[in-house]
Amino acid sequence: MPKRYLTSNEGAPVTNDQQSLSVGQRGPILLEDTVFLEKISHFDRERIPERVLHAKGAGAFGFFRPYNSLASLTKADFLQDPEKVTPVFVRFSLAGGSLGGADTVRDIRGFSVKFYTDEGNYDIVGNHIPVFPLRDPIQFPDLVHALKPDPVTNVRGGPIAASRFWDFMSLRPESINFLTYLFADNGTVKSYRTIPGYGVNTYKWINMRGEEVYVKYHWEPCAGVEYIDSKTAAMLAGTDPDIARRDLFDTIAAGQQVEFELRIQIMNVDDECEQPFDPLDSTNIWPEDLLPIRPVGKMVLNKNPDNFFVDVEQAAFSPAAIVPGIEFSNDKILQGRIFAYGDTQRYRLGVNYLALPTNMPRKPADNKMQDGAMQTMYNEGVANYLPNTLGGGTPMPAPVIGKPAQNHIAGCIVRKEIGGDIYYQAGFRYRTMSAMQKKHLVANIVENLSQAYEPIQRRMVEHFLRTDSELGRRIAQGINLMI
Ligand code: HEM
């Protein structure tokens, strides 16, 4: 092996980066000590902003393969042929906590998948809870503010945190379905290998004939679904706060594969208004008895990141990253997400974030966007504009593949709350739980809600009573509230 010698970031030989250059042994240090100045100033800039949410995560590389051709439903190139293997990168995360949080706390787990397809990157940025607490993305900053530590003390837990959380949720009761997942054992997890993933939002698939269907994504862990109870979660948060991150890394390092099956639910676009629930409302699941779930492919994770910061921290997922054959629905939450991710990533990572190793599409980008901080690509030639003749007219507009869908939207411009029932699915879910699941759900809510101020408790119990009278009564009893 050739010998490796220390250099500066300019590549110049460095003979000593352990002792600073000083007047005599005891200083002062000279301003001309470029070795010291470079080392310390690079260190001073090691941290980048953490994600505004989903800050703590773990990732792995692997591949995806469909079981059969899905050509009848979508023209997406990576779903046409069961022989086609598409590389993926996956990041699991905790939604609410910050970088130093514990892996087992009650929280939403993020489940983001980047498919490096031959037609560009396709991201499914999902969660491990199938529903979302809101119906309108303009409320998202309020939700995150209410979940994060308060702006006065920045303290997690305790009466102020509980009051802020339940204050918000009780005034946004469309969150109730989501709360029945978060406060069940689903909310406490010790391994990313055993959680499901859900796209939550509704997307559209379009085939070569221009026919569209609505689609919902589900990831099923092949190792089976496993949650832990709140006592185990609290204990592990103290003794092994990185347990889920370590478990994923160690499993793959030991040569074992981590596998998930991709399953979908499909709905004809024309049936949207025929359903007994609003299929584009992210607070709802699509009931499986009405819209069956079908397996369509398998994802295998088999390679750990070579460097956490480069591969995982700098990863940028976005629901806006779609490929031909996949489109957005009018789901308002999805519409809001289309903007938010790229916007925050331009701030968090810089405008050239898609040129970073994990984010770079395997099919090279070719357009006339240029420059900006940290640009490393060379724009070829003088014709940095379109249309041109000096650059041979390239790149040319990509050909349209297949027949495009015909969509027409008309309506009055309003700022209006989306209506619709908010209690039915949550109540149904409670009534179909086992006695043990009900007990844990009630105990977990009681533990948290009991810390909130009384008028907020009262408002929240009203919503639980409307969800299911038994659920509401058990919670009221648990927190000693007369109803
Ligand atoms: C109004 C709705 C939403 C908005 C505005 C929003 C916005 C954001 C933002 C700004 C980030 C940080 C991204 C980054 O720094 O790279 C993020 C991360 C994330 N969001 Fe959302 N989000 C919304 C809803 C959802 C929903 C419904 C899901 C699940 C289906 C979801 C799943 C995630 C995940 C998994 C991450 C972490 C991505 C990663 O691993 O890097 N979000 N979100």
Side-chain angles (χ1 to χ4, degrees):
M1 216 165 55
K3 283 194 176 143
R4 291 172 54 186
Y5 291 114
L6 196 64
T7 74
S8 70
N9 279 342
E10 307 271 16
V14 170
T15 53
N16 181 346
D17 85 336
Q18 296 299 305
Q19 273 72 46
S20 49
L21 192 66
S22 56
V23 183
Q25 243 171 318
R26 300 183 60 244
I29 294 171
L30 300 185
L31 186 59
E32 69 177 56
D33 185 355
T34 52
V35 176
F36 168 72
L37 293 183
E38 186 186 59
K39 187 172 173 182
I40 211 78
S41 53
H42 195 108
F43 167 76
D44 289 344
R45 290 164 178 78
E46 278 182 8
R47 301 287 176 274
I48 58 170
E50 68 174 37
R51 287 168 177 79
V52 70
L53 69 160
H54 289 271
K56 186 180 179 191
F61 293 93
F63 62 87
F64 172 81
R65 196 202 299 248
Y67 293 143
N68 296 111
S69 172
L70 293 158
S72 64
L73 295 170
T74 173
K75 60 189 173 193
D77 174 70
F78 75 110
L79 297 173
Q80 302 301 298
D81 178 358
E83 296 302 313
K84 179 120 190 168
V85 173
T86 300
V88 299
F89 176 69
V90 175
R91 180 173 179 270
F92 303 101
S93 55
L94 284 118
S98 51
L99 269 175
D103 284 350
T104 55
V105 297
R106 187 167 307 289
D107 202 347
I108 309 170
R109 303 309 185 273
F111 194 125
S112 309
V113 183
K114 189 180 288 295
F115 299 84
Y116 302 99
T117 87
D118 293 340
E119 294 179 315
N121 290 349
Y122 176 49
D123 293 354
I124 301 180
V125 194
N127 280 339
H128 94 302
I129 289 180
V131 291
F132 199 63
L134 302 177
R135 288 169 162 165
D136 193 320
I138 201 169
Q139 298 154 3
F140 189 72
D142 299 298
L143 168 75
V144 177
H145 292 174
L147 292 176
K148 291 272 188 184
D150 78 77
V152 177
T153 65
N154 201 31
V155 165
R156 284 177 279 188
I160 297 179
S163 298
R164 295 170 75 247
F165 177 86
W166 292 107
D167 191 23
F168 181 81
M169 295 301 176
S170 61
L171 296 168
R172 285 267 158 247
E174 60 270 37
S175 62
I176 202 97
N177 203 12
F178 164 79
L179 294 173
T180 65
Y181 288 90
L182 184 67
F183 282 89
D185 286 344
N186 304 48
T188 41
V189 161
K190 73 169 182 185
S191 169
Y192 292 132
R193 291 179 295 119
T194 55
I195 54 167
Y198 302 96
V200 180
N201 297 124
T202 302
Y203 291 82
K204 275 197 231 168
W205 276 6
I206 171 166
N207 66 15
M208 290 296 263
R209 293 189 295 275
E211 295 158 345
E212 292 180 313
V213 287
Y214 285 133
V215 61
K216 278 255 197 201
Y217 297 113
H218 302 243
W219 292 104
E220 188 68 16
C222 299
V225 174
E226 203 185 306
Y227 303 118
I228 53 177
D229 62 30
S230 63
K231 278 200 183 68
T232 314
M235 191 267 291
L236 288 172
T239 57
D240 199 355
D242 294 330
I243 186 169
R245 178 186 279 183
R246 192 168 44 70
D247 170 75
L248 181 69
F249 192 94
D250 287 354
T251 303
I252 294 174
Q256 287 171 43
Q257 299 188 338
V258 177
E259 297 179 354
F260 294 88
E261 185 170 73
L262 180 62
R263 300 177 177 179
I264 56 167
Q265 283 174 294
I266 294 290
M267 182 192 294
N268 286 327
V269 172
D270 295 339
D271 295 344
E272 177 184 337
C273 301
E274 312 302 317
Q275 305 298 331
F277 64 97
D278 181 349
L280 301 192
D281 171 352
S282 317
T283 66
N284 289 327
I285 56 154
W286 287 8
E288 288 176 41
D289 52 341
L290 297 179
L291 300 150
I293 297 183
R294 53 188 266 200
V296 292
K298 189 181 273 186
M299 176 169 75
V300 174
L301 303 180
N302 57 4
K303 184 182 174 308
N304 275 321
D306 292 320
N307 178 280
F308 181 81
F309 185 85
V310 173
D311 290 333
V312 186
E313 198 56 21
Q314 295 196 126
F317 295 88
S318 172
I322 54 170
V323 290
I326 297 168
E327 303 270 338
F328 310 117
S329 75
N330 295 340
D331 176 342
K332 266 190 171 180
I333 293 292
L334 175 60
Q335 296 275 318
R337 295 179 76 198
I338 291 168
F339 170 73
Y341 291 69
D343 183 47
T344 196
Q345 286 148 4
R346 287 179 187 96
Y347 163 71
R348 182 166 72 81
L349 302 165
V351 66
N352 286 304
Y353 68 103
L354 291 173
L356 293 167
T358 342
N359 306 327
M360 187 187 276
R362 299 303 187 254
K363 182 187 164 85
D366 192 354
N367 57 51
K368 297 299 179 188
M369 287 178 251
Q370 66 173 34
D371 303 350
M374 299 293 168
Q375 172 65 287
T376 53
M377 311 277 213
Y378 290 90
N379 300 104
E380 278 172 15
V382 294
N384 57 349
Y385 52 87
L386 278 171
N388 69 58
T389 55
L390 294 183
T394 58
M396 292 178 301
V400 176
I401 304 162
K403 211 172 143 195
Q406 299 294 319
N407 282 312
H408 174 77
I409 305 179
C412 296
I413 295 171
V414 292
R415 281 189 194 276
K416 222 173 164 186
E417 190 114 6
I418 296 181
D421 174 79
I422 56 179
Y423 301 108
Y424 176 76
Q425 285 201 356
F428 182 80
R429 180 173 147 74
Y430 175 73
R431 287 186 287 280
T432 49
M433 282 179 172
S434 69
M436 178 65 87
Q437 288 170 330
K438 285 181 179 173
K439 191 174 152 202
H440 285 198
L441 175 68
V442 171
N444 294 335
I445 292 173
V446 165
E447 187 189 341
N448 201 290
L449 185 59
S450 59
Q451 300 176 57
Y453 306 141
E454 204 216 273
I456 295 171
Q457 290 179 342
R458 205 163 274 289
R459 223 161 47 215
M460 203 59 230
V461 165
E462 277 297 315
H463 293 303
F464 284 123
L465 281 166
R466 273 182 226 160
T467 301
D468 182 275
S469 57
E470 180 195 281
L471 173 67
R473 271 187 279 112
R474 287 176 72 172
I475 292 171
Q477 202 179 12
I479 60 174
N480 294 319
L481 194 78
M482 294 288 284
I483 48 170

mmCIF file of all heavy atoms in Angstrom, residues 51-54 91 93 110-112 125-127 132 136-137 140 198-201 315-317 333 336-337 340-341 344-345 348, ligand 1:
data_model
loop_
_atom_site.group_PDB
_atom_site.id
_atom_site.type_symbol
_atom_site.label_atom_id
_atom_site.label_comp_id
_atom_site.label_asym_id
_atom_site.label_seq_id
_atom_site.Cartn_x
_atom_site.Cartn_y
_atom_site.Cartn_z
ATOM 1 N N ARG A 51 -32.598 18.923 10.865
ATOM 2 C CA ARG A 51 -33.901 18.997 10.192
ATOM 3 C C ARG A 51 -34.895 19.659 11.148
ATOM 4 O O ARG A 51 -34.861 19.385 12.357
ATOM 5 C CB ARG A 51 -34.392 17.596 9.828
ATOM 6 C CG ARG A 51 -33.652 16.946 8.680
ATOM 7 C CD ARG A 51 -34.012 15.469 8.593
ATOM 8 N NE ARG A 51 -33.404 14.780 7.471
ATOM 9 C CZ ARG A 51 -32.145 14.345 7.431
ATOM 10 N NH1 ARG A 51 -31.354 14.540 8.476
ATOM 11 N NH2 ARG A 51 -31.678 13.722 6.369
ATOM 12 N N VAL A 52 -35.790 20.470 10.606
ATOM 13 C CA VAL A 52 -36.729 21.209 11.446
ATOM 14 C C VAL A 52 -37.659 20.241 12.192
ATOM 15 O O VAL A 52 -38.216 20.558 13.245
ATOM 16 C CB VAL A 52 -37.449 22.275 10.585
ATOM 17 C CG1 VAL A 52 -38.400 21.668 9.594
ATOM 18 C CG2 VAL A 52 -38.113 23.331 11.406
ATOM 19 N N LEU A 53 -37.801 19.044 11.676
ATOM 20 C CA LEU A 53 -38.396 17.911 12.397
ATOM 21 C C LEU A 53 -37.821 16.645 11.775
ATOM 22 O O LEU A 53 -37.086 16.724 10.791
ATOM 23 C CB LEU A 53 -39.921 17.921 12.369
ATOM 24 C CG LEU A 53 -40.602 17.654 11.059
ATOM 25 C CD1 LEU A 53 -42.028 17.235 11.332
ATOM 26 C CD2 LEU A 53 -40.615 18.872 10.193
ATOM 27 N N HIS A 54 -38.081 15.497 12.374
ATOM 28 C CA HIS A 54 -37.438 14.237 11.951
ATOM 29 C C HIS A 54 -35.918 14.368 12.016
ATOM 30 O O HIS A 54 -35.198 13.914 11.127
ATOM 31 C CB HIS A 54 -37.859 13.841 10.533
ATOM 32 C CG HIS A 54 -39.279 13.384 10.424
ATOM 33 N ND1 HIS A 54 -39.663 12.076 10.586
ATOM 34 C CD2 HIS A 54 -40.425 14.075 10.176
ATOM 35 C CE1 HIS A 54 -40.967 11.966 10.440
ATOM 36 N NE2 HIS A 54 -41.463 13.165 10.199
ATOM 37 N N ARG A 91 -34.242 6.118 5.046
ATOM 38 C CA ARG A 91 -33.926 6.758 6.332
ATOM 39 C C ARG A 91 -35.130 6.631 7.249
ATOM 40 O O ARG A 91 -36.243 7.012 6.892
ATOM 41 C CB ARG A 91 -33.563 8.236 6.149
ATOM 42 C CG ARG A 91 -33.220 8.933 7.466
ATOM 43 C CD ARG A 91 -32.698 10.348 7.262
ATOM 44 N NE ARG A 91 -32.392 10.995 8.527
ATOM 45 C CZ ARG A 91 -33.256 11.721 9.248
ATOM 46 N NH1 ARG A 91 -34.498 11.919 8.817
ATOM 47 N NH2 ARG A 91 -32.892 12.250 10.394
ATOM 48 N N SER A 93 -36.632 7.660 11.079
ATOM 49 C CA SER A 93 -36.365 8.825 11.937
ATOM 50 C C SER A 93 -37.425 8.966 13.016
ATOM 51 O O SER A 93 -38.456 8.282 13.001
ATOM 52 C CB SER A 93 -36.365 10.090 11.069
ATOM 53 O OG SER A 93 -37.578 10.179 10.341
ATOM 54 N N GLY A 110 -40.433 8.241 11.100
ATOM 55 C CA GLY A 110 -40.411 8.497 9.664
ATOM 56 C C GLY A 110 -39.895 7.279 8.934
ATOM 57 O O GLY A 110 -39.098 6.506 9.470
ATOM 58 N N PHE A 111 -40.354 7.097 7.703
ATOM 59 C CA PHE A 111 -39.983 5.927 6.893
ATOM 60 C C PHE A 111 -39.830 6.442 5.459
ATOM 61 O O PHE A 111 -40.787 6.456 4.691
ATOM 62 C CB PHE A 111 -41.108 4.887 7.018
ATOM 63 C CG PHE A 111 -40.782 3.501 6.528
ATOM 64 C CD1 PHE A 111 -40.943 2.403 7.359
ATOM 65 C CD2 PHE A 111 -40.345 3.279 5.234
ATOM 66 C CE1 PHE A 111 -40.674 1.123 6.920
ATOM 67 C CE2 PHE A 111 -40.075 2.008 4.777
ATOM 68 C CZ PHE A 111 -40.239 0.925 5.629
ATOM 69 N N SER A 112 -38.622 6.932 5.141
ATOM 70 C CA SER A 112 -38.400 7.579 3.835
ATOM 71 C C SER A 112 -37.625 6.649 2.916
ATOM 72 O O SER A 112 -36.601 6.111 3.322
ATOM 73 C CB SER A 112 -37.563 8.841 3.992
ATOM 74 O OG SER A 112 -38.098 9.676 4.968
ATOM 75 N N VAL A 125 -41.951 9.416 1.010
ATOM 76 C CA VAL A 125 -41.564 9.942 2.327
ATOM 77 C C VAL A 125 -42.731 9.675 3.267
ATOM 78 O O VAL A 125 -43.705 10.432 3.312
ATOM 79 C CB VAL A 125 -41.243 11.451 2.241
ATOM 80 C CG1 VAL A 125 -40.514 11.894 3.512
ATOM 81 C CG2 VAL A 125 -40.400 11.757 1.025
ATOM 82 N N GLY A 126 -42.634 8.555 3.983
ATOM 83 C CA GLY A 126 -43.778 8.094 4.769
ATOM 84 C C GLY A 126 -43.526 8.115 6.267
ATOM 85 O O GLY A 126 -42.457 8.493 6.726
ATOM 86 N N ASN A 127 -44.530 7.694 7.003
ATOM 87 C CA ASN A 127 -44.463 7.570 8.460
ATOM 88 C C ASN A 127 -44.882 6.175 8.872
ATOM 89 O O ASN A 127 -45.454 5.427 8.064
ATOM 90 C CB ASN A 127 -45.415 8.572 9.131
ATOM 91 C CG ASN A 127 -44.832 9.980 9.186
ATOM 92 O OD1 ASN A 127 -43.629 10.163 9.088
ATOM 93 N ND2 ASN A 127 -45.701 10.967 9.346
ATOM 94 N N PHE A 132 -52.537 11.250 9.479
ATOM 95 C CA PHE A 132 -51.862 12.483 9.883
ATOM 96 C C PHE A 132 -52.829 13.288 10.754
ATOM 97 O O PHE A 132 -54.048 13.167 10.603
ATOM 98 C CB PHE A 132 -51.477 13.251 8.610
ATOM 99 C CG PHE A 132 -50.404 14.269 8.829
ATOM 100 C CD1 PHE A 132 -49.146 13.880 9.240
ATOM 101 C CD2 PHE A 132 -50.646 15.625 8.619
ATOM 102 C CE1 PHE A 132 -48.149 14.812 9.453
ATOM 103 C CE2 PHE A 132 -49.660 16.558 8.834
ATOM 104 C CZ PHE A 132 -48.400 16.153 9.254
ATOM 105 N N ASP A 136 -54.855 20.445 6.679
ATOM 106 C CA ASP A 136 -54.397 21.596 5.876
ATOM 107 C C ASP A 136 -52.938 21.906 6.224
ATOM 108 O O ASP A 136 -52.611 22.109 7.404
ATOM 109 C CB ASP A 136 -55.292 22.808 6.191
ATOM 110 C CG ASP A 136 -55.097 23.923 5.175
ATOM 111 O OD1 ASP A 136 -53.944 24.172 4.772
ATOM 112 O OD2 ASP A 136 -56.104 24.543 4.777
ATOM 113 N N PRO A 137 -52.056 21.945 5.223
ATOM 114 C CA PRO A 137 -50.621 22.109 5.516
ATOM 115 C C PRO A 137 -50.269 23.473 6.094
ATOM 116 O O PRO A 137 -49.195 23.626 6.680
ATOM 117 C CB PRO A 137 -49.959 21.918 4.143
ATOM 118 C CG PRO A 137 -51.007 22.245 3.148
ATOM 119 C CD PRO A 137 -52.313 21.833 3.772
ATOM 120 N N PHE A 140 -49.278 23.258 9.652
ATOM 121 C CA PHE A 140 -48.150 22.400 10.028
ATOM 122 C C PHE A 140 -47.146 23.095 10.959
ATOM 123 O O PHE A 140 -46.712 22.502 11.958
ATOM 124 C CB PHE A 140 -47.459 21.887 8.758
ATOM 125 C CG PHE A 140 -46.424 20.843 9.016
ATOM 126 C CD1 PHE A 140 -46.777 19.559 9.397
ATOM 127 C CD2 PHE A 140 -45.075 21.130 8.891
ATOM 128 C CE1 PHE A 140 -45.821 18.585 9.644
ATOM 129 C CE2 PHE A 140 -44.107 20.171 9.134
ATOM 130 C CZ PHE A 140 -44.485 18.895 9.512
ATOM 131 N N TYR A 198 -46.074 3.919 5.948
ATOM 132 C CA TYR A 198 -47.266 4.311 5.177
ATOM 133 C C TYR A 198 -46.968 5.590 4.415
ATOM 134 O O TYR A 198 -46.394 6.527 4.990
ATOM 135 C CB TYR A 198 -48.458 4.563 6.111
ATOM 136 C CG TYR A 198 -48.821 3.378 6.954
ATOM 137 C CD1 TYR A 198 -48.342 3.250 8.253
ATOM 138 C CD2 TYR A 198 -49.625 2.361 6.437
ATOM 139 C CE1 TYR A 198 -48.648 2.149 9.031
ATOM 140 C CE2 TYR A 198 -49.943 1.253 7.207
ATOM 141 C CZ TYR A 198 -49.456 1.154 8.507
ATOM 142 O OH TYR A 198 -49.763 0.057 9.271
ATOM 143 N N GLY A 199 -47.390 5.650 3.167
ATOM 144 C CA GLY A 199 -47.235 6.886 2.402
ATOM 145 C C GLY A 199 -48.154 7.980 2.942
ATOM 146 O O GLY A 199 -47.915 9.160 2.707
ATOM 147 N N VAL A 200 -49.208 7.593 3.636
ATOM 148 C CA VAL A 200 -50.215 8.461 4.250
ATOM 149 C C VAL A 200 -50.989 9.257 3.193
ATOM 150 O O VAL A 200 -52.212 9.141 3.098
ATOM 151 C CB VAL A 200 -49.615 9.414 5.308
ATOM 152 C CG1 VAL A 200 -50.682 10.311 5.921
ATOM 153 C CG2 VAL A 200 -48.891 8.627 6.403
ATOM 154 N N ASN A 201 -50.306 10.056 2.430
ATOM 155 C CA ASN A 201 -50.998 10.840 1.395
ATOM 156 C C ASN A 201 -51.417 9.941 0.227
ATOM 157 O O ASN A 201 -50.894 8.850 0.054
ATOM 158 C CB ASN A 201 -50.094 11.953 0.859
ATOM 159 C CG ASN A 201 -49.726 12.960 1.921
ATOM 160 O OD1 ASN A 201 -48.552 13.204 2.173
ATOM 161 N ND2 ASN A 201 -50.723 13.540 2.560
ATOM 162 N N ALA A 315 -28.894 13.460 3.627
ATOM 163 C CA ALA A 315 -29.937 12.929 2.738
ATOM 164 C C ALA A 315 -31.099 13.912 2.666
ATOM 165 O O ALA A 315 -31.463 14.533 3.660
ATOM 166 C CB ALA A 315 -30.423 11.579 3.255
ATOM 167 N N ALA A 316 -31.648 14.046 1.484
ATOM 168 C CA ALA A 316 -32.777 14.964 1.281
ATOM 169 C C ALA A 316 -33.886 14.226 0.546
ATOM 170 O O ALA A 316 -33.740 13.896 -0.630
ATOM 171 C CB ALA A 316 -32.311 16.177 0.476
ATOM 172 N N PHE A 317 -34.961 13.941 1.261
ATOM 173 C CA PHE A 317 -36.123 13.271 0.657
ATOM 174 C C PHE A 317 -37.201 14.309 0.383
ATOM 175 O O PHE A 317 -37.310 15.290 1.130
ATOM 176 C CB PHE A 317 -36.698 12.233 1.614
ATOM 177 C CG PHE A 317 -35.768 11.094 1.907
ATOM 178 C CD1 PHE A 317 -34.856 11.170 2.948
ATOM 179 C CD2 PHE A 317 -35.800 9.940 1.139
ATOM 180 C CE1 PHE A 317 -34.000 10.119 3.221
ATOM 181 C CE2 PHE A 317 -34.943 8.885 1.406
ATOM 182 C CZ PHE A 317 -34.047 8.969 2.442
ATOM 183 N N ILE A 333 -52.650 18.082 2.168
ATOM 184 C CA ILE A 333 -51.404 17.912 2.925
ATOM 185 C C ILE A 333 -50.261 17.619 1.953
ATOM 186 O O ILE A 333 -49.167 18.197 2.053
ATOM 187 C CB ILE A 333 -51.549 16.777 3.969
ATOM 188 C CG1 ILE A 333 -52.545 17.175 5.064
ATOM 189 C CG2 ILE A 333 -50.202 16.399 4.578
ATOM 190 C CD1 ILE A 333 -52.098 18.296 5.987
ATOM 191 N N GLY A 336 -49.122 20.722 0.141
ATOM 192 C CA GLY A 336 -48.247 21.573 0.959
ATOM 193 C C GLY A 336 -46.847 20.992 1.058
ATOM 194 O O GLY A 336 -45.848 21.706 1.060
ATOM 195 N N ARG A 337 -46.768 19.678 1.140
ATOM 196 C CA ARG A 337 -45.460 19.015 1.286
ATOM 197 C C ARG A 337 -44.620 19.185 0.019
ATOM 198 O O ARG A 337 -43.393 19.186 0.098
ATOM 199 C CB ARG A 337 -45.660 17.527 1.577
ATOM 200 C CG ARG A 337 -46.332 17.233 2.897
ATOM 201 C CD ARG A 337 -46.512 15.739 3.090
ATOM 202 N NE ARG A 337 -45.258 15.088 3.445
ATOM 203 C CZ ARG A 337 -45.047 13.779 3.331
ATOM 204 N NH1 ARG A 337 -45.984 12.992 2.853
ATOM 205 N NH2 ARG A 337 -43.889 13.260 3.684
ATOM 206 N N ALA A 340 -42.525 22.196 0.730
ATOM 207 C CA ALA A 340 -41.760 22.384 1.977
ATOM 208 C C ALA A 340 -40.386 21.717 1.974
ATOM 209 O O ALA A 340 -39.418 22.276 2.486
ATOM 210 C CB ALA A 340 -42.580 21.845 3.149
ATOM 211 N N TYR A 341 -40.276 20.526 1.404
ATOM 212 C CA TYR A 341 -39.040 19.748 1.574
ATOM 213 C C TYR A 341 -37.865 20.376 0.812
ATOM 214 O O TYR A 341 -36.801 20.617 1.380
ATOM 215 C CB TYR A 341 -39.266 18.287 1.153
ATOM 216 C CG TYR A 341 -40.185 17.557 2.119
ATOM 217 C CD1 TYR A 341 -41.532 17.886 2.210
ATOM 218 C CD2 TYR A 341 -39.710 16.569 2.952
ATOM 219 C CE1 TYR A 341 -42.373 17.246 3.100
ATOM 220 C CE2 TYR A 341 -40.544 15.916 3.851
ATOM 221 C CZ TYR A 341 -41.880 16.265 3.909
ATOM 222 O OH TYR A 341 -42.713 15.636 4.806
ATOM 223 N N THR A 344 -36.792 23.647 2.534
ATOM 224 C CA THR A 344 -35.981 23.524 3.748
ATOM 225 C C THR A 344 -34.597 22.954 3.412
ATOM 226 O O THR A 344 -33.598 23.290 4.036
ATOM 227 C CB THR A 344 -36.701 22.646 4.803
ATOM 228 O OG1 THR A 344 -36.107 22.844 6.062
ATOM 229 C CG2 THR A 344 -36.671 21.169 4.503
ATOM 230 N N GLN A 345 -34.528 22.096 2.397
ATOM 231 C CA GLN A 345 -33.228 21.493 2.057
ATOM 232 C C GLN A 345 -32.293 22.508 1.401
ATOM 233 O O GLN A 345 -31.085 22.459 1.600
ATOM 234 C CB GLN A 345 -33.449 20.259 1.174
ATOM 235 C CG GLN A 345 -33.991 19.092 2.004
ATOM 236 C CD GLN A 345 -34.920 18.158 1.294
ATOM 237 O OE1 GLN A 345 -35.163 18.296 0.094
ATOM 238 N NE2 GLN A 345 -35.470 17.186 2.005
ATOM 239 N N ARG A 348 -31.116 24.049 4.554
ATOM 240 C CA ARG A 348 -30.345 23.144 5.440
ATOM 241 C C ARG A 348 -29.034 22.697 4.789
ATOM 242 O O ARG A 348 -28.017 22.561 5.460
ATOM 243 C CB ARG A 348 -31.225 21.921 5.761
ATOM 244 C CG ARG A 348 -30.624 20.906 6.682
ATOM 245 C CD ARG A 348 -31.683 19.920 7.202
ATOM 246 N NE ARG A 348 -32.177 18.962 6.232
ATOM 247 C CZ ARG A 348 -31.563 17.846 5.888
ATOM 248 N NH1 ARG A 348 -30.405 17.539 6.414
ATOM 249 N NH2 ARG A 348 -32.113 17.018 5.003
HETATM 250 C C1 HEM B 1 -48.233 19.692 6.095
HETATM 251 C C2 HEM B 1 -47.584 18.606 6.012
HETATM 252 C C3 HEM B 1 -46.096 18.465 6.129
HETATM 253 C C4 HEM B 1 -45.083 19.361 5.994
HETATM 254 C C5 HEM B 1 -45.192 20.829 5.668
HETATM 255 C C6 HEM B 1 -43.840 18.651 6.221
HETATM 256 C C7 HEM B 1 -42.586 19.218 6.208
HETATM 257 C C8 HEM B 1 -41.415 18.564 6.478
HETATM 258 C C9 HEM B 1 -40.116 19.163 6.536
HETATM 259 C C10 HEM B 1 -39.845 20.638 6.301
HETATM 260 C C11 HEM B 1 -39.216 18.190 6.820
HETATM 261 C C12 HEM B 1 -37.701 18.333 6.952
HETATM 262 C C13 HEM B 1 -37.042 17.854 5.679
HETATM 263 C C14 HEM B 1 -35.548 17.977 5.653
HETATM 264 O O1 HEM B 1 -34.978 18.801 6.376
HETATM 265 O O2 HEM B 1 -34.932 17.255 4.858
HETATM 266 C C15 HEM B 1 -39.946 16.966 6.933
HETATM 267 C C16 HEM B 1 -39.384 15.752 7.166
HETATM 268 C C17 HEM B 1 -40.084 14.588 7.088
HETATM 269 N N1 HEM B 1 -41.450 14.446 6.920
HETATM 270 FE FE1 HEM B 1 -42.767 15.874 6.681
HETATM 271 N N2 HEM B 1 -44.127 17.353 6.478
HETATM 272 C C18 HEM B 1 -45.490 17.196 6.426
HETATM 273 C C19 HEM B 1 -46.205 16.055 6.588
HETATM 274 C C20 HEM B 1 -45.655 14.815 6.584
HETATM 275 C C21 HEM B 1 -46.371 13.590 6.408
HETATM 276 C C22 HEM B 1 -47.874 13.459 6.143
HETATM 277 C C23 HEM B 1 -45.440 12.601 6.449
HETATM 278 C C24 HEM B 1 -45.645 11.143 6.271
HETATM 279 C C25 HEM B 1 -46.389 10.655 5.334
HETATM 280 C C26 HEM B 1 -44.144 13.209 6.660
HETATM 281 C C27 HEM B 1 -42.963 12.527 6.758
HETATM 282 C C28 HEM B 1 -41.731 13.120 6.905
HETATM 283 C C29 HEM B 1 -40.511 12.353 7.053
HETATM 284 C C30 HEM B 1 -40.380 10.851 7.076
HETATM 285 C C31 HEM B 1 -39.472 13.284 7.162
HETATM 286 C C32 HEM B 1 -37.998 12.970 7.336
HETATM 287 C C33 HEM B 1 -37.345 12.838 5.961
HETATM 288 C C34 HEM B 1 -35.938 12.321 6.105
HETATM 289 O O3 HEM B 1 -35.788 11.143 6.491
HETATM 290 O O4 HEM B 1 -34.985 13.068 5.840
HETATM 291 N N3 HEM B 1 -44.307 14.555 6.727
HETATM 292 N N4 HEM B 1 -41.290 17.204 6.740
#
